Amino acid sequence: MAQLLSTDVVPREQRLAYWTDMICNVYVQLGCDPVQTSRTAGDFEGSIRQHALPSLDVSVVTSGPQKVMRTPSHIARSSDDYFLVSIQAQGRGVVRQDGRDAVLSVGDFALYDSTRPYQLLFDDAFEQIVLKLPGERLRSELRETQALTATTVSGREGAGHLLLGMIRTLREDIDALQPASALAVANGVLSILVAGLQTLPAARSPALSNLTAFHLARIKRQVDARLDDPALSVGTLAAEVGMSVSQIHRVFKSEPLTPSQYIWERRLEACSRDLLDPRLAGRPMGEIAYGRGFSDAAHFSRAFRERFGCSPREWRQQIAH
């Protein structure tokens, strides 16, 4: 579903206030100061075209020069936990967070975290594509995310170039995607985003030994094969793969999730797919959760919201849309 918001619908003297309300509603609580130039003096214009994918919001922002701020007071009023990614489509931008400045030329992107103060700086008219995803979604894929914010990832090569191409294609086809396809696309965007962030110096870690990589793949395969078993735990997993619990924890030492967290993560991902599967549209949500190893409906609902930013019911309603 797409939604277009524009300052054109209000009188000129109300546009800045309206714009601030718009960006707060679409993203998180923010402040905005226009940057006056000889071309923009006394005028302010902006638009946001917003698209919702499962666990990923994609928006296109077009506006004039400005400074956008998320301050400690904004965070105190709204403790939303999201990661945002700004992909520069036109003009130039700066993302400032954690003592770093990421200067973005066309095609470049940078990550920032809504749980800490940040600034976005634009000295002229610009267009950005902004990705917004729940905080836990990215933390389940990457370690030490605080070290990766406000760092430029080039869009001219590697994963950055792939992400830019995928987003451009997505902009053209997003309204025609079926729910299951939209979920696959959202997961693909996340995978490429993670790959781009992993190229940053702060994300690089020593390569796994062949033996550790073998055991890690074997353990993960066993988890996927047993997601429907509510008794699956690190202890039972250790017995099945012929390792001790401490050995499994050592194998997962370089992973962003502990072994227990990984099991619940995979269960949630399986539930997210099942809830969007039209073949399971008549199956109660509780039955889907129990079929993926959850034994408590409240725990499932709470964990799902933390992971995907919405309730299981809201997630499933995307089929109707």
Side-chain angles (χ1 to χ4, degrees):
M1 296 179 65
Q3 181 181 24
L4 176 62
L5 304 170
S6 173
T7 56
D8 289 344
V9 301
V10 298
R12 290 187 180 278
E13 64 274 13
Q14 299 176 18
R15 287 182 176 179
L16 179 59
Y18 184 71
W19 176 256
T20 302
D21 287 343
M22 284 168 55
I23 59 177
C24 289
N25 289 333
V26 173
Y27 305 112
V28 292
Q29 289 294 307
L30 297 164
C32 180
D33 289 337
V35 176
Q36 298 295 339
T37 69
S38 59
R39 288 180 295 167
T40 64
D43 197 8
F44 187 88
E45 294 181 346
S47 68
I48 301 174
R49 182 174 291 277
Q50 184 182 16
H51 307 269
L53 292 174
S55 74
L56 178 69
D57 285 349
V58 181
S59 55
V60 181
V61 184
T62 305
S63 189
Q66 60 192 272
K67 176 181 179 181
V68 177
M69 303 147 289
R70 181 156 168 86
T71 66
S73 62
H74 291 127
I75 295 170
R77 293 199 302 270
S78 172
S79 58
D80 294 330
D81 181 6
Y82 292 103
F83 281 104
L84 298 108
V85 178
S86 285
I87 306 168
Q88 200 70 26
Q90 295 180 25
R92 176 182 176 276
V94 176
V95 175
R96 176 173 294 166
Q97 189 173 49
D98 297 324
R100 295 183 293 271
D101 283 5
V103 179
L104 304 181
S105 300
V106 173
D108 297 340
F109 72 84
L111 176 77
Y112 44 110
D113 186 339
S114 74
T115 64
R116 298 189 303 283
Y118 64 79
Q119 295 180 2
L120 308 177
L121 311 173
F122 307 98
D123 55 12
D124 209 336
F126 70 95
E127 180 178 277
Q128 278 194 343
I129 303 165
V130 181
L131 311 181
K132 176 185 170 186
L133 62 156
E136 287 306 310
R137 183 83 200 275
L138 192 61
R139 294 189 192 96
S140 70
E141 301 281 347
L142 286 171
R143 296 167 59 92
E144 307 297 337
T145 53
Q146 186 167 344
L148 306 178
T149 56
T151 306
T152 304
V153 179
S154 173
R156 290 172 289 282
E157 58 187 6
H161 181 69
L162 288 175
L163 180 64
L164 186 64
M166 188 172 190
I167 293 296
R168 284 172 173 163
T169 302
L170 183 61
R171 287 177 63 179
E172 299 175 2
D173 300 332
I174 193 168
D175 292 329
L177 290 174
Q178 296 299 313
S181 299
L183 177 60
V185 170
N187 289 337
V189 169
L190 177 65
S191 296
I192 296 175
L193 171 63
V194 168
L197 293 170
Q198 285 176 332
T199 65
L200 298 175
R204 293 172 187 166
S205 56
L208 298 178
S209 69
N210 290 338
L211 182 61
T212 298
F214 167 76
H215 285 312
L216 185 61
R218 188 164 64 99
I219 292 166
K220 289 183 174 181
R221 284 197 302 270
Q222 188 64 18
V223 169
D224 286 345
R226 293 282 307 282
L227 289 179
D228 59 345
D229 183 1
L232 177 64
S233 67
V234 181
T236 60
L237 183 62
E240 289 167 3
V241 298
M243 301 173 70
S244 69
V245 170
S246 60
Q247 284 177 309
I248 288 183
H249 279 280
R250 282 198 294 273
V251 168
F252 269 78
K253 189 175 181 181
S254 63
E255 293 288 292
L257 300 176
T258 66
S260 179
Q261 289 171 333
Y262 180 78
I263 292 171
W264 290 113
E265 171 73 10
R266 296 299 290 166
R267 283 177 165 156
L268 286 168
E269 289 179 353
C271 287
S272 74
R273 293 192 297 272
D274 291 346
L275 288 168
L276 291 182
D277 189 337
R279 297 170 297 179
L280 304 179
R283 185 172 297 179
M285 287 185 293
E287 186 177 324
I288 286 176
Y290 297 144
R292 294 300 187 175
F294 285 90
S295 58
D296 181 88
H299 172 225
F300 167 63
S301 182
R302 183 172 59 253
F304 195 96
R305 182 177 288 276
E306 289 176 357
R307 175 65 170 76
F308 295 104
C310 66
S311 70
R313 185 176 303 279
E314 291 167 337
W315 181 272
R316 193 176 218 181
Q317 286 173 345
Q318 294 178 80
I319 292 178
H321 295 312

CSV table of all heavy atoms in Angstrom, one decimal, residues 12 27 33 60 63 88 99-100 108 111 125 132 153 155 176 190 214 217 221 231 246 250 287:
chain,number,residue,atom,x,y,z
A,12,ARG,N,1.2,28.1,2.7
A,12,ARG,CA,2.6,28.2,2.8
A,12,ARG,C,3.1,28.4,4.2
A,12,ARG,O,4.1,27.9,4.7
A,12,ARG,CB,3.1,29.3,1.9
A,12,ARG,CG,3.0,29.0,0.4
A,12,ARG,CD,3.7,30.1,-0.5
A,12,ARG,NE,3.6,29.7,-1.9
A,12,ARG,CZ,4.4,28.9,-2.5
A,12,ARG,NH1,5.4,28.3,-1.9
A,12,ARG,NH2,4.2,28.6,-3.8
A,27,TYR,N,8.2,8.5,10.6
A,27,TYR,CA,9.5,7.9,11.2
A,27,TYR,C,9.4,7.9,12.7
A,27,TYR,O,8.8,7.0,13.2
A,27,TYR,CB,10.7,8.7,10.6
A,27,TYR,CG,10.7,8.8,9.1
A,27,TYR,CD1,10.5,10.0,8.5
A,27,TYR,CD2,10.9,7.7,8.4
A,27,TYR,CE1,10.4,10.1,7.1
A,27,TYR,CE2,10.9,7.7,7.0
A,27,TYR,CZ,10.7,8.9,6.3
A,27,TYR,OH,10.6,9.0,5.0
A,33,ASP,N,14.5,22.2,11.2
A,33,ASP,CA,14.8,23.6,10.9
A,33,ASP,C,15.1,23.7,9.5
A,33,ASP,O,16.0,23.1,9.0
A,33,ASP,CB,16.0,24.1,11.8
A,33,ASP,CG,15.6,24.2,13.2
A,33,ASP,OD1,14.4,24.3,13.6
A,33,ASP,OD2,16.6,24.1,14.1
A,60,VAL,N,10.1,7.5,0.1
A,60,VAL,CA,10.9,8.4,-0.7
A,60,VAL,C,10.6,9.8,-0.3
A,60,VAL,O,9.4,10.2,-0.3
A,60,VAL,CB,10.5,8.2,-2.2
A,60,VAL,CG1,11.4,9.1,-3.1
A,60,VAL,CG2,10.7,6.7,-2.7
A,63,SER,N,12.5,17.0,-0.7
A,63,SER,CA,12.3,18.3,0.0
A,63,SER,C,13.5,19.2,-0.2
A,63,SER,O,14.4,18.9,-1.0
A,63,SER,CB,12.2,18.0,1.5
A,63,SER,OG,11.8,19.1,2.2
A,88,GLN,N,20.9,7.9,-0.6
A,88,GLN,CA,20.8,9.2,-1.3
A,88,GLN,C,20.4,9.0,-2.8
A,88,GLN,O,21.2,8.3,-3.5
A,88,GLN,CB,22.1,9.9,-1.2
A,88,GLN,CG,22.1,11.4,-1.4
A,88,GLN,CD,21.3,12.2,-0.3
A,88,GLN,OE1,21.3,11.7,0.8
A,88,GLN,NE2,20.8,13.3,-0.7
A,99,GLY,N,29.1,10.5,17.2
A,99,GLY,CA,30.4,11.1,17.0
A,99,GLY,C,31.0,11.0,15.6
A,99,GLY,O,32.1,11.4,15.3
A,100,ARG,N,30.2,10.5,14.6
A,100,ARG,CA,30.6,10.4,13.3
A,100,ARG,C,29.7,11.1,12.3
A,100,ARG,O,28.5,11.3,12.6
A,100,ARG,CB,30.7,8.9,12.9
A,100,ARG,CG,31.7,8.0,13.7
A,100,ARG,CD,31.7,6.6,13.2
A,100,ARG,NE,30.4,5.9,13.5
A,100,ARG,CZ,30.2,5.3,14.7
A,100,ARG,NH1,31.2,5.2,15.6
A,100,ARG,NH2,29.1,4.6,14.9
A,108,ASP,N,25.0,6.5,-2.3
A,108,ASP,CA,25.5,6.1,-1.0
A,108,ASP,C,24.4,5.9,0.0
A,108,ASP,O,23.3,6.5,-0.1
A,108,ASP,CB,26.5,7.1,-0.4
A,108,ASP,CG,27.7,7.3,-1.3
A,108,ASP,OD1,28.0,6.4,-2.1
A,108,ASP,OD2,28.4,8.4,-1.2
A,111,LEU,N,23.5,4.1,8.0
A,111,LEU,CA,22.5,3.6,9.0
A,111,LEU,C,22.5,4.5,10.2
A,111,LEU,O,23.5,5.1,10.5
A,111,LEU,CB,23.1,2.2,9.5
A,111,LEU,CG,22.3,1.5,10.6
A,111,LEU,CD1,21.0,0.9,10.1
A,111,LEU,CD2,23.2,0.4,11.2
A,125,ALA,N,18.3,21.1,-2.1
A,125,ALA,CA,17.2,20.2,-2.4
A,125,ALA,C,17.7,18.8,-2.5
A,125,ALA,O,18.9,18.6,-3.0
A,125,ALA,CB,16.5,20.7,-3.6
A,132,LYS,N,13.0,1.8,7.0
A,132,LYS,CA,12.8,1.8,8.4
A,132,LYS,C,12.4,0.4,8.9
A,132,LYS,O,11.5,-0.2,8.3
A,132,LYS,CB,11.7,2.7,8.8
A,132,LYS,CG,11.2,2.8,10.2
A,132,LYS,CD,10.0,3.7,10.4
A,132,LYS,CE,9.4,3.5,11.8
A,132,LYS,NZ,8.1,4.3,11.9
A,153,VAL,N,28.3,3.9,3.2
A,153,VAL,CA,28.5,2.7,2.4
A,153,VAL,C,28.3,3.1,1.0
A,153,VAL,O,27.3,3.6,0.6
A,153,VAL,CB,27.5,1.6,2.8
A,153,VAL,CG1,27.7,0.3,1.9
A,153,VAL,CG2,27.6,1.2,4.3
A,155,GLY,N,27.5,3.3,-2.8
A,155,GLY,CA,26.5,2.7,-3.8
A,155,GLY,C,27.1,2.5,-5.1
A,155,GLY,O,26.4,2.1,-6.0
A,176,ALA,N,2.4,-3.9,-6.7
A,176,ALA,CA,1.9,-5.1,-7.3
A,176,ALA,C,2.3,-6.4,-6.6
A,176,ALA,O,1.8,-7.4,-7.0
A,176,ALA,CB,2.3,-5.2,-8.8
A,190,LEU,N,16.9,-6.8,3.3
A,190,LEU,CA,17.7,-6.8,4.6
A,190,LEU,C,19.0,-7.6,4.4
A,190,LEU,O,20.0,-7.1,4.9
A,190,LEU,CB,16.8,-7.5,5.7
A,190,LEU,CG,17.5,-7.7,7.0
A,190,LEU,CD1,17.8,-6.4,7.7
A,190,LEU,CD2,16.7,-8.6,7.9
A,214,PHE,N,31.6,-25.6,10.0
A,214,PHE,CA,30.9,-26.9,9.8
A,214,PHE,C,29.9,-27.1,10.9
A,214,PHE,O,28.7,-27.5,10.7
A,214,PHE,CB,31.9,-28.0,9.7
A,214,PHE,CG,31.3,-29.4,9.8
A,214,PHE,CD1,30.6,-29.9,8.7
A,214,PHE,CD2,31.4,-30.1,11.0
A,214,PHE,CE1,30.1,-31.2,8.8
A,214,PHE,CE2,30.8,-31.4,11.1
A,214,PHE,CZ,30.2,-31.9,10.0
A,217,ALA,N,26.9,-24.7,10.8
A,217,ALA,CA,25.9,-25.0,9.8
A,217,ALA,C,25.1,-26.3,10.2
A,217,ALA,O,23.9,-26.3,10.0
A,217,ALA,CB,26.6,-25.3,8.4
A,221,ARG,N,21.0,-26.3,10.8
A,221,ARG,CA,20.1,-27.3,10.1
A,221,ARG,C,19.3,-28.1,11.0
A,221,ARG,O,18.1,-28.3,10.7
A,221,ARG,CB,21.0,-28.2,9.2
A,221,ARG,CG,21.5,-27.6,7.9
A,221,ARG,CD,22.0,-28.7,7.0
A,221,ARG,NE,23.0,-29.5,7.5
A,221,ARG,CZ,24.3,-29.3,7.5
A,221,ARG,NH1,24.8,-28.2,6.8
A,221,ARG,NH2,25.2,-30.2,8.0
A,231,ALA,N,9.8,-28.7,22.8
A,231,ALA,CA,10.8,-29.2,23.7
A,231,ALA,C,12.2,-28.8,23.2
A,231,ALA,O,13.2,-29.0,24.0
A,231,ALA,CB,10.7,-30.7,24.0
A,246,SER,N,28.2,-26.2,26.3
A,246,SER,CA,29.3,-25.2,26.3
A,246,SER,C,29.9,-25.2,24.9
A,246,SER,O,30.3,-24.1,24.4
A,246,SER,CB,30.3,-25.5,27.4
A,246,SER,OG,30.9,-26.8,27.2
A,250,ARG,N,30.2,-21.9,22.4
A,250,ARG,CA,31.5,-21.5,21.8
A,250,ARG,C,31.4,-21.3,20.3
A,250,ARG,O,31.9,-20.4,19.7
A,250,ARG,CB,32.6,-22.5,22.2
A,250,ARG,CG,33.2,-22.3,23.6
A,250,ARG,CD,34.5,-23.0,23.7
A,250,ARG,NE,34.4,-24.4,23.6
A,250,ARG,CZ,34.2,-25.3,24.5
A,250,ARG,NH1,33.9,-24.8,25.8
A,250,ARG,NH2,34.1,-26.6,24.3
A,287,GLU,N,-2.8,-21.7,16.6
A,287,GLU,CA,-2.4,-23.0,16.0
A,287,GLU,C,-1.1,-22.9,15.2
A,287,GLU,O,-0.2,-23.8,15.3
A,287,GLU,CB,-3.5,-23.5,15.2
A,287,GLU,CG,-3.3,-25.0,14.7
A,287,GLU,CD,-4.5,-25.5,13.9
A,287,GLU,OE1,-5.6,-25.1,14.2
A,287,GLU,OE2,-4.2,-26.2,12.9
